[in-house]
Amino acid sequence: MKKDSLQILGIDFFNGQVKDVVQKLKSGGLMVVPAAPALITIKTDTAYYKSLLDSDVVIADSGYMVLIWNLMNREKINRISGLTFLVDFFADAEVKAASSMVLVDPTPKDSEANITYLNSIGFNLTKDVCYQAPMYDKSNIVDPELVAFIEKRKPAYVVVNLGGGTQEKLGAYLKKNLSYKPAIICTGAAIAFLTGRQAAIPTWADKSFLGWLFRCIEKPKLYVPRYLKAFKLVVLMIQYGKKAPVEFKADKVLTPQTIN
């Protein structure tokens, strides 16, 4: 476990300040922000779990996970939401001046909104830095076209704006297959709160762990069932705490049952 991290469910969560995350990523690496609805799948979706374990920076975006952990443990975890990170990241003078970025987006409308927003706050980006992601097979995420797209441009930052459970696997794939080490930033829909593509989350609500509520109000049919399922996370955390519910050895996946 790294000195600036705290292990939860076998995952080394970064336990510092957001400005430190921004500085770390200037040297490259894979950053992920797992949400509670995705974390509950780590025992069954081992490819997703392994992508978290293989990441260089994992931030505690899930307010629910942070609340559970901090109530049960003396050693506290500092929450850094994906939204908080992006605000600081996009405000960084060096990142802005470089404007060295590829955006991996779900739709052309998202790409247009993202470019418009970033240029409005001081970036200098053109539409040719946007890559429209296909519908990936979640059981086997590969994209040689994206690898070629990134290799041609060699950006310092690759910002992946896709759904949780997909973007982390894609990020791990890119980390393994690119010839150099950019920062691969998997913050999902967080940028959509800044561009207006999703309901805006006030700063006070994000800091108060209430971002989920604004999502549920905007799209209740989509988000209410998703967050209800996330209540299973408390059971997982009570059962395993710091320990990994799944371990990997060579090409084998070991569950606690097979380890014993």
Side-chain angles (χ1 to χ4, degrees):
M1 185 170 62
K2 308 179 187 80
K3 290 182 179 179
D4 58 359
S5 67
L6 195 159
Q7 198 165 83
I8 302 174
L9 297 174
I11 304 163
D12 287 336
F13 281 90
F14 180 76
N15 200 20
Q17 302 302 313
V18 64
K19 61 181 177 60
D20 301 318
V21 180
V22 174
Q23 290 305 312
K24 276 178 172 286
L25 291 174
K26 289 179 182 178
S27 299
L30 173 61
M31 188 193 85
V32 295
V33 293
L39 282 169
I40 63 171
T41 70
I42 60 177
K43 288 184 69 175
T44 53
D45 191 347
T46 53
Y48 169 69
Y49 186 37
K50 195 168 190 307
S51 71
L52 301 183
L53 298 178
D54 290 344
S55 299
D56 300 288
V57 181
V58 186
I59 61 174
D61 171 77
S62 170
Y64 181 52
M65 184 199 76
V66 170
L67 284 171
I68 296 169
W69 179 266
N70 288 348
L71 284 172
M72 296 193 306
N73 297 273
R74 288 186 178 181
E75 191 177 10
K76 308 304 182 186
I77 182 74
N78 180 44
R79 179 177 182 253
I80 302 174
S81 71
L83 179 58
T84 297
F85 164 77
L86 280 185
V87 169
D88 278 51
F89 175 67
F90 291 147
D92 185 272
E94 291 180 20
V95 173
K96 194 172 291 186
S99 289
S100 180
M101 194 176 293
V102 156
L103 304 174
V104 182
D105 298 317
T107 69
K109 286 186 177 180
D110 286 296
S111 293
E112 184 178 354
N114 293 345
I115 289 291
T116 299
Y117 170 75
L118 290 170
N119 287 343
S120 75
I121 61 171
F123 282 82
N124 183 24
L125 300 171
T126 56
K127 290 182 179 179
D128 66 356
V129 303
C130 296
Y131 180 86
Q132 260 69 64
M135 291 294 293
Y136 293 111
D137 175 0
K138 288 189 177 183
S139 65
N140 183 34
I141 293 183
V142 296
D143 194 343
E145 289 185 13
L146 176 56
V147 171
F149 186 89
I150 295 169
E151 290 284 2
K152 180 180 178 180
R153 291 160 178 79
K154 290 286 195 301
Y157 304 99
V158 178
V159 183
V160 184
N161 306 310
L162 306 179
T166 297
Q167 61 177 352
E168 298 87 354
K169 296 175 190 177
L170 179 62
Y173 166 81
L174 293 174
K175 178 182 175 180
K176 182 178 180 180
N177 288 278
L178 288 171
S179 66
Y180 74 112
K181 188 182 177 182
I184 304 167
I185 298 167
C186 299
T187 43
I191 193 171
F193 297 117
L194 299 173
T195 64
R197 291 283 290 164
Q198 290 200 28
I201 297 178
T203 301
W204 66 265
D206 186 50
K207 289 183 178 180
S208 302
F209 303 178
L210 293 174
W212 61 272
L213 181 59
F214 282 77
R215 281 183 158 187
C216 289
I217 291 171
E218 185 197 22
K219 295 181 179 179
K221 290 184 179 179
L222 175 63
Y223 289 110
V224 170
R226 184 179 299 182
Y227 286 115
L228 286 175
K229 288 180 182 178
F231 282 109
K232 296 177 183 177
L233 183 61
V234 68
V235 177
L236 200 63
M237 291 177 69
I238 290 172
Q239 186 176 3
Y240 295 102
K242 290 186 176 184
K243 297 178 182 178
V246 177
E247 292 186 18
F248 300 88
K249 186 175 182 181
D251 295 327
K252 295 181 180 179
V253 177
L254 305 177
T255 65
Q257 291 74 23
T258 58
I259 294 169
N260 296 331

